[in-house]
Amino acid sequence: MERTDKPLLKLENINVTFPVKKDFPFQKRRFVKAVSDVSLEIYPGETFGVVGESGCGKSTLANTTLGMQKVDSGKIFFEDKDLTVMNKRELKEVRRSMQMIFQDPFSSLNPRFSVFDIVSEPLRIKGGYTQEEMRALVAEMLAEVGLSEGDLDRFPSDFSGGQKQRIGIARALILKPKYLVCDEPVSALDVSVHAQILNLLMDLQEKFHITYLFISHNLAVVKRICDRVIVMYLGKVMEYGNVERIFKNPVHPYTKALISAIFDTDIDCPRERAKLKGEVPSPINPPAGCRFCGRCPEECPECSQGEPPLVEVEEDHFVACIRHTSLGEKA
Amino acid sequence: MNALEVKNLKVIFPTEMGIVRAVEGIDIEIEQGKCAAIVGESGCGKSVTSLAVMKLLSTPPAIVRVDKLELGGTDIKGLTDKQMQKVRGKDVAMIFQDALTALNPVMQVGKQIDEIFLAHNLSDGENGKTGRVNRKKEAKRRTIEALKLVGISDAELRYKAYPHQLSGGMRQRVLIAMAFACNPNLIIADEPTTALDVTIQAQVLDVLKDLQRKRNTSLMLITHDLSIVMNMADEIYVMYCGKIVERGTTREIFKDPLHPYTMGLLGSIARIGDAKSRFVQIPSSLPSPIHKPSGCYFHPRCQYAGERCKTEMPPLEKLEGGRCVRCWNYKEIKNGKNG
């Protein structure tokens, strides 16, 4: 199926590096390549997953899509407008339709603000609302996320983790954004509350037609709620495309390892797990060639010769591995 | 003989806000060589249980009452702190969640493992020699052996490393090496892999499982992650608000959960085979530990709750084969599901 709709958000060859503190004076400056040469397209109404181990650049990538992270090179298009060339005022304008919810609801809400203050802050920044209008809008939004009007004047400390996350969601949605970044929205919460928040996010998406960028390290959750996904390793895209296709037929050895590293909870069919050797190397000196060299079970001498290009193996399924033809057949 | 037997353990914390009944009379039995998992959410009392078993809770503030506390048949209920020190590390050891805080940051990791051998006089010469220098040498030899056992390469080199020089997975391996050092009967692992990445988590758990099987050690695994439990545990205790609500073998719990809370927990985890869909959810959130609900603690969140659930706490009913469940309506719920 060829996509006819235009992408809501498009990244083109994004590179982001951070300077590293010097160990001693006169040392050559070193950089961490947090995101290197990432291109992707996010379509309206879909949930786009970003997975990878810690330090692989997931959060940097998310910040980049919001124009919050200065990029070294590359272009970010949001509804065909390039964020990288905008000035502060224009950015502020665009950001009204892009919002974010954070991992830790305990630290992302100001403890001295009442719920009304927190949720109405975006309205106040936008301006043009009277106090009564704001109160009505906030109350309406609170009802959408499963809180009540009576909670308006309470403070974050009165709420449980799940409810705080709901406040965070209400704040993000009050301006009716088109695009919402969810950076590990449930990992700080209790297990029994995970399902509530994920269900709420799915319901709100359907109701308000929001596009999600969903960061998670839990592949099973990503599989369950995302439409398309990007698998990152040390700042590079390893595999990218339709969730169903990637999980059914993972081609890149890293994706295979990630999928098999999740413990399954189906007691009747225990799966054989492919184990990865070693740990994630330092992003300051990533391995030459394919970044996955050194941990890859399918490594061959050519792998360290150069960075593998992203190749389309089937429709909406891209892989960066030079051995994709042979590996794909085996799978 | 059971590696661990706990009868009617109660832990209370008096606070300014009120009395927190963290653990309300729980029984645990772990057979030698088996792995029992205690599953529950934060604040359900699972970590407090493990600390109480190790007698690591400081009293005051905590008030601990227990009818029976036996490690491999020996009673440790009445032991003093001094006597407990001889037991900890040798008969029962603990693996903590955060390796970076569990290890001493200004001491080489090898030296930290040496300490266990030295403290329990286990390095007294196999070769007949005693004396401080020889004991230290022997301890170092054993430490390096222990490090190799948990899959740390270049163990001689790593012996001299400080905790910050090791990666998260390595540090957790060091803790595992430390726990297994004196070959204890029972190891308590409190969320051993929560701080790690998925691929590393799989590696570390494999090491743990492997050693546990080889040494026939009993393991008490404390976690909130049901997917780990299925791959590690033989038996599962589900805790909610300081009480055990269900107990059974791993197969029983996963195939045929009886308590509504267990069903909710199982329904809320994503499986890799799932298509895009909504989750089964448990409504509302955990009650405050100071003001627990009347009757069954789970009734405000339970879709099957009846009148009786609101007023009376159900007993932990024993079914055949060691299976237990704390619910008034489990039979009706089960029949309803099948019918």
Side-chain angles (χ1 to χ4, degrees):
Chain A
M1 179 189 78
E2 193 63 33
R3 291 212 79 128
T4 46
D5 46 349
K6 267 168 104 187
L8 177 79
L9 191 103
K10 194 171 167 189
L11 299 189
E12 276 179 11
N13 309 92
I14 293 290
N15 283 287
V16 179
T17 56
F18 297 110
V20 181
K21 204 177 151 197
K22 294 177 186 180
D23 292 335
F24 50 87
F26 314 117
Q27 191 185 23
K28 220 180 128 192
R29 280 189 94 174
R30 293 176 305 165
F31 294 92
V32 173
K33 289 199 185 85
V35 174
S36 57
D37 201 23
V38 172
S39 306
L40 55 87
E41 285 167 353
I42 302 177
Y43 291 93
E46 74 177 356
T47 305
F48 190 87
V50 183
V51 287
E53 290 173 271
S54 44
C56 73
K58 303 189 292 279
S59 294
T60 310
L61 183 73
N63 291 344
T64 309
T65 62
L66 295 172
M68 291 205 297
Q69 178 62 54
K70 217 170 163 277
V71 296
D72 294 7
S73 64
K75 283 187 164 22
I76 312 156
F77 292 101
F78 183 76
E79 299 186 309
D80 292 331
K81 285 171 285 192
D82 188 355
L83 297 187
T84 51
V85 297
M86 283 186 188
N87 62 28
K88 259 191 175 160
R89 248 183 62 207
E90 290 169 316
L91 261 179
K92 205 170 158 185
E93 200 76 28
V94 178
R95 282 214 194 107
R96 270 177 204 153
S97 46
M98 6 171 61
Q99 294 290 335
M100 184 162 185
I101 52 178
F102 301 92
Q103 175 170 2
D104 183 4
F106 300 87
S107 55
S108 62
L109 302 179
N110 188 336
R112 297 294 182 103
F113 274 27
S114 72
V115 172
F116 170 71
D117 293 333
I118 292 171
V119 181
S120 67
E121 200 173 11
L123 295 175
R124 269 181 275 135
I125 293 170
K126 190 181 173 191
Y129 295 94
T130 64
Q131 193 74 7
E132 287 72 44
E133 281 171 348
M134 283 203 284
R135 260 192 110 77
L137 277 170
V138 171
E140 194 185 311
M141 201 66 235
L142 286 184
E144 291 290 353
V145 299
L147 297 170
S148 67
E149 203 177 335
D151 295 327
L152 271 176
D153 295 312
R154 294 168 73 193
F155 286 84
S157 55
D158 300 341
F159 296 92
S160 68
Q163 288 171 316
K164 280 186 198 171
Q165 196 60 288
R166 285 171 196 267
I167 300 173
I169 294 172
R171 171 177 62 185
L173 295 186
I174 191 86
L175 288 178
K176 302 268 150 54
K178 290 178 188 145
Y179 172 66
L180 183 67
V181 172
C182 312
D183 191 350
E184 303 250 16
V186 295
S187 38
L189 305 176
D190 277 318
V191 198
S192 67
V193 185
H194 283 193
Q196 290 176 17
I197 297 294
L198 292 173
N199 279 345
L200 174 68
L201 283 172
M202 285 194 263
D203 293 343
L204 291 170
Q205 176 171 44
E206 208 166 289
K207 189 156 184 190
F208 297 115
H209 307 286
I210 316 166
T211 309
Y212 287 149
L213 181 82
F214 190 87
I215 302 180
S216 180
H217 63 269
N218 187 341
L219 275 156
V221 169
V222 166
K223 168 82 198 299
R224 183 98 174 234
I225 74 165
C226 294
D227 301 299
R228 285 162 77 244
V229 69
I230 185 168
V231 182
M232 288 182 74
Y233 184 76
L234 282 179
K236 291 283 283 186
V237 181
M238 296 283 124
E239 201 152 353
Y240 162 55
N242 182 292
V243 167
E244 288 293 329
R245 279 169 220 163
I246 287 184
F247 275 76
K248 207 167 138 206
N249 179 24
V251 176
H252 200 286
Y254 181 62
T255 319
K256 284 183 191 166
L258 266 188
I259 292 177
S260 72
I262 336 170
F263 290 100
D264 212 344
T265 41
D266 191 352
I267 198 148
D268 282 329
C269 54
R271 289 166 305 135
E272 197 50 46
R273 286 191 283 127
K275 271 172 231 152
L276 278 188
K277 35 185 184 175
E279 304 191 6
V280 186
S282 154
I284 300 174
N285 286 313
C290 175
R291 300 247 165 130
F292 195 45
C293 277
R295 289 183 84 195
C296 182
E298 312 277 355
E299 198 174 327
C300 64
E302 289 82 54
C303 289
S304 49
Q305 296 300 316
E307 296 198 353
L310 207 57
V311 190
E312 186 161 15
V313 285
E314 56 185 317
E315 209 201 306
D316 199 18
H317 183 173
F318 300 82
V319 176
C321 178
I322 53 167
R323 303 193 53 200
H324 65 88
T325 40
S326 57
L327 293 177
E329 275 160 23
K330 242 197 280 177
Chain B
M1 192 181 61
N2 289 331
L4 175 73
E5 213 173 320
V6 181
K7 278 250 144 55
N8 200 16
L9 172 73
K10 290 179 180 162
V11 183
I12 294 171
F13 296 96
T15 65
E16 282 177 12
M17 316 267 290
I19 294 167
V20 176
R21 292 190 172 79
V23 179
E24 299 188 22
I26 64 168
D27 302 342
I28 300 172
E29 287 143 33
I30 305 177
E31 273 177 60
Q32 189 59 47
K34 289 278 160 57
C35 171
I38 300 190
V39 184
E41 293 174 85
S42 47
C44 74
K46 54 191 194 306
S47 290
V48 172
T49 305
S50 71
L51 292 175
V53 169
M54 290 287 274
K55 301 190 74 152
L56 279 173
L57 284 173
S58 39
T59 45
I63 301 170
V64 182
R65 292 282 176 272
V66 62
D67 289 352
K68 187 174 173 190
L69 183 56
E70 281 186 9
L71 267 183
T74 6
D75 184 29
I76 58 164
K77 190 181 145 194
L79 295 191
T80 59
D81 273 0
K82 199 107 201 182
Q83 291 167 318
M84 246 344 259
Q85 278 181 10
K86 293 223 162 64
V87 174
R88 281 185 213 126
K90 202 171 166 191
D91 298 323
V92 53
M94 193 150 178
I95 302 170
F96 290 95
Q97 173 174 2
D98 185 1
L100 200 56
T101 45
L103 292 168
N104 184 343
V106 292
M107 197 172 174
Q108 295 170 357
V109 291
K111 290 259 152 75
Q112 300 188 40
I113 304 179
D114 284 357
E115 277 190 331
I116 301 164
F117 295 116
L118 294 171
H120 292 292
N121 294 323
L122 282 179
S123 54
D124 282 348
E126 248 161 36
N127 43 14
K129 287 185 220 159
T130 45
R132 222 176 104 244
V133 179
N134 275 318
R135 279 174 56 198
K136 281 199 169 170
K137 259 191 194 154
E138 175 66 13
K140 181 168 178 179
R141 192 187 63 77
R142 286 187 175 221
T143 300
I144 289 173
E145 218 169 75
L147 287 176
K148 279 183 183 154
L149 209 60
V150 292
I152 292 182
S153 50
D154 306 324
E156 284 86 358
L157 254 167
R158 300 291 179 215
Y159 178 90
K160 290 204 159 77
Y162 289 91
H164 74 268
Q165 293 170 317
L166 300 177
S167 64
M170 285 275 225
R171 284 196 286 260
Q172 207 64 42
R173 280 169 200 256
V174 169
L175 282 194
I176 293 175
M178 216 178 239
F180 277 96
C182 293
N183 223 344
N185 259 331
L186 172 72
I187 288 183
I188 300 177
D190 189 354
E191 308 254 9
T193 55
T194 326
L196 303 176
D197 271 322
V198 271
T199 56
I200 311 298
Q201 168 174 307
Q203 290 174 1
V204 169
L205 287 176
D206 281 339
V207 170
L208 188 61
K209 181 102 204 155
D210 201 39
L211 268 177
Q212 185 230 336
R213 287 225 172 110
K214 259 193 225 151
R215 299 273 187 93
N216 197 31
T217 314
S218 312
L219 186 67
M220 178 165 142
L221 181 72
I222 300 198
T223 182
H224 65 270
D225 190 340
L226 278 164
S227 55
I228 293 178
V229 169
M230 199 198 85
N231 290 271
M232 299 284 292
D234 302 300
E235 199 173 35
I236 298 176
Y237 293 85
V238 183
M239 277 184 83
Y240 187 74
C241 289
K243 284 201 181 279
I244 289 173
V245 295
E246 188 167 1
R247 173 191 167 178
T249 62
T250 307
R251 202 178 169 82
E252 285 168 343
I253 297 272
F254 275 86
K255 284 298 276 185
D256 180 27
L258 293 178
H259 197 280
Y261 178 62
T262 319
M263 292 175 200
L265 276 186
L266 285 170
S268 63
I269 45 174
R271 290 175 166 83
I272 202 76
D274 291 342
K276 191 176 174 179
S277 55
R278 282 174 60 94
F279 292 87
V280 180
Q281 64 181 46
I282 306 177
S284 106
S285 51
L286 286 169
S288 140
I290 298 170
H291 307 288
K292 291 184 187 172
S294 62
C296 173
Y297 291 154
F298 190 60
H299 88 257
R301 305 177 73 185
C302 180
Q303 54 168 321
Y304 304 105
E307 277 311 308
R308 194 178 188 187
C309 304
K310 289 180 190 157
T311 50
E312 268 180 90
M313 168 62 81
L316 191 63
E317 198 168 323
K318 291 201 169 55
L319 316 175
E320 76 272 28
R323 190 102 204 259
C324 301
V325 61
R326 189 189 289 280
C327 180
W328 289 121
N329 304 328
Y330 77 91
K331 276 185 197 140
E332 288 80 4
I333 296 171
K334 199 178 170 192
N335 291 338
K337 264 205 312 192
N338 293 341

